[in-house]
């Protein structure tokens, strides 16, 4: 066997126990269950305790992914997140330490909601280069820490959560082997999805110095159009690189941003909507965690089984997007 591919061999997820329903939000904001469901398809989202941090979610998901893979160690940890514990240092080394992984390579990847796809490609690259024989890839976000409490549009959409996979070196023909990733970006749209203050361009000031805007902002209509076009086109490219036609795709596991976006992506690809697993109704948009969370949910409900030809895709701030093909292996999520 030639170890020239990254093979998915473990899957773990974690959601904070506290669920917030649309009715709960309606008691705080000018919104309603009907308004939220009609625009997003979301009914519930999970919110972490304010005393928690992204690393806490990532550790739980990472531990479960290692258990699913039957492993106690890996050679590297790649963490995709928009909500690191601190601007400096990266969160991944702390996660690796808390998982008892010792002094392995560990670093963060920032690509917003496309983060998991970027991290997956990075992990596969470490394996292809011979730098690592196994990699723990985590997508974890705690958007409750960056949402404007008064913004009904973002608070109704986003939830907290984490998902992780274990990659190992293996053969390109075996189940779980990742196809060639498709990645892209367009920085001319950087203003469409943004946390404006807190970086070097606009440091977060004290109120006496003029404040700043520390909250997540999104231009919904423009994001919708870009997300549909980019995810559909990237997915078709990933399928083509795997030698698949559209009819060969058994499941399209897309970033769980909005039900209308999921349906529009499927329609643009001329793929039946029933081949697109939906999990956002229960968890909302969990950013970098959404793809692994959707995968675990699909497996758990019987919608994703070994041998299925799957395309993973996501779109996020940057603007960024990505897709990857994989023939689903026989793994049990933890």
């Amino acid at each position: 066997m030639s170890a020239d591919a990254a093979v998915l061999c473990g899957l773990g997820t974690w959601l904070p126990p506290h669920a917030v329903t649309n009715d709960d939000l309606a008691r705080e904001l000018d919104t309603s269950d009907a308004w939220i469901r009609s625009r997003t398809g979301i009914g519930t989202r999970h919110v972490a305790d304010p005393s928690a941090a992204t690393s806490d979610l990532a550790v739980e998901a990472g531990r479960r992914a290692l258990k699913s893979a039957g492993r106690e160690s890996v050679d590297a940890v790649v963490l995709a997140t928009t909500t690191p514990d601190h601007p400096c240092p990266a969160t991944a080394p702390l996660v690796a330490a808390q998982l008892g992984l010792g002094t392995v390579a560990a670093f963060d990847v920032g690509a917003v909601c496309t983060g998991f796809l970027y991290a997956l490609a990075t992990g596969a690259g470490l394996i292809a280069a011979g730098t690592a024989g196994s990699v723990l890839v985590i997508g974890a976000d705690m958007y409750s820490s960056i949402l404007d409490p008064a913004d009904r549009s973002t608070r109704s959409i986003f939830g907290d959560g984490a998902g992780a996979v274990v990659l190992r070196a293996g053969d390109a023909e075996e189940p779980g082997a990742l196809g060639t990733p498709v990645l892209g970006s367009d920085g001319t749209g950087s203003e469409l999805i943004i946390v404006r203050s807190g970086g070097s361009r606009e440091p977060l000031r004290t109120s006496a110095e003029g404040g700043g805007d520390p909250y997540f902002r999104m231009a919904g209509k423009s994001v919708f159009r870009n997300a549909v076009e980019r995810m559909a086109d990237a997915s078709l490219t990933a399928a083509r690189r795997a030698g698949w036609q559209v009819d060969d795709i058994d499941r399209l596991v897309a970033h769980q941003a909005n039900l209308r976006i999921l349906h529009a992506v499927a329609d643009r690809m001329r793929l039946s909507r029933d081949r697109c697993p939906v999990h956002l109704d229960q968890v909302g948009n969990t950013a970098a965690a959404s793809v692994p969370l959707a995968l675990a949910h699909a497996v758990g409900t019987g919608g994703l089984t070994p041998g299925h030809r799957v395309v993973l895709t996501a779109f996020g701030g940057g603007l960024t997007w990505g897709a990857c093909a994989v023939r689903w292996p026989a793994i049990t999520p933890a």
Side-chain angles (χ1 to χ4, degrees):
M1 177 182 290
S2 59
D4 58 358
V7 178
L8 196 156
C9 64
L11 173 61
T13 62
W14 173 252
L15 289 166
H18 179 54
V20 176
T21 67
N22 292 343
D23 289 334
D24 291 332
L25 288 180
R27 284 189 280 271
E28 299 180 41
L29 303 166
D30 180 19
T31 189
S32 68
D33 178 67
W35 187 89
I36 296 171
R37 287 183 187 274
S38 66
R39 287 162 176 77
T40 68
I42 297 168
T44 305
R45 73 286 298 146
H46 291 251
V47 176
D49 187 276
S51 64
T54 294
S55 62
D56 299 318
L57 280 62
V59 167
E60 289 295 336
R63 181 177 291 118
R64 291 165 184 239
L66 290 168
K67 179 181 178 181
S68 172
R71 289 174 172 263
E72 295 183 355
S73 65
V74 290
D75 300 320
V77 176
V78 183
L79 171 64
T81 187
T82 310
T83 58
D85 285 15
H86 307 282
C88 174
T91 303
L94 174 61
V95 172
Q98 291 184 344
L99 287 171
L101 298 177
T103 57
V104 301
F107 55 95
D108 292 359
V109 170
V112 195
C113 295
T114 318
F116 181 76
L117 267 295
Y118 267 67
L120 202 65
T122 302
L126 292 173
I127 289 173
T131 302
S134 58
V135 182
L136 176 62
V137 176
I138 308 172
D141 270 310
M142 192 169 152
Y143 263 52
S144 60
S145 66
I146 58 172
L147 297 182
D148 182 346
D151 185 353
R152 70 172 182 173
S153 61
T154 55
R155 282 196 63 194
S156 66
I157 293 172
F158 289 93
D160 302 335
V165 299
V166 176
L167 302 178
R168 62 167 175 80
D171 190 88
E173 299 302 317
E174 66 179 298
L178 300 181
T180 304
V182 177
L183 302 174
S185 75
D186 180 5
T188 64
S190 62
E191 296 284 323
L192 298 179
I193 300 173
I194 192 168
V195 177
R196 189 166 300 281
S197 300
S200 61
R201 175 66 62 189
E202 188 174 314
L204 194 59
R205 309 293 186 185
T206 66
S207 57
E209 296 172 314
D213 186 358
Y215 296 124
F216 178 92
R217 306 295 182 188
M218 182 169 63
K221 290 183 179 179
S222 297
V223 168
F224 187 106
R225 176 180 56 80
N226 275 281
V228 172
E229 293 178 4
R230 299 303 191 180
M231 283 198 287
D233 293 350
S235 296
L236 291 171
T237 300
R240 186 166 58 250
R241 288 181 178 179
W244 303 344
Q245 302 297 320
V246 170
D247 289 343
D248 296 325
I249 301 172
D250 296 305
R251 296 291 181 268
L252 176 70
V253 181
H255 167 53
Q256 305 284 297
N258 177 302
L259 186 58
R260 287 199 236 174
I261 289 177
L262 295 181
H263 287 168
V265 171
D267 294 347
R268 183 180 174 92
M269 293 176 62
R270 298 185 178 180
L271 184 72
S272 172
R273 291 180 179 182
D274 61 12
R275 298 190 189 187
C276 303
V278 175
H279 191 217
L280 62 83
D281 57 322
Q282 301 175 39
V283 300
N285 180 340
T286 54
S290 80
V291 169
L293 281 169
L295 284 170
H297 177 73
V299 173
T301 57
L304 178 58
T305 58
H308 269 162
R309 288 161 294 195
V310 183
V311 173
L312 314 177
T313 188
F315 174 88
L319 302 171
T320 58
W321 57 88
C324 185
V326 60
R327 188 156 53 91
W328 193 250
I331 60 175
T332 302

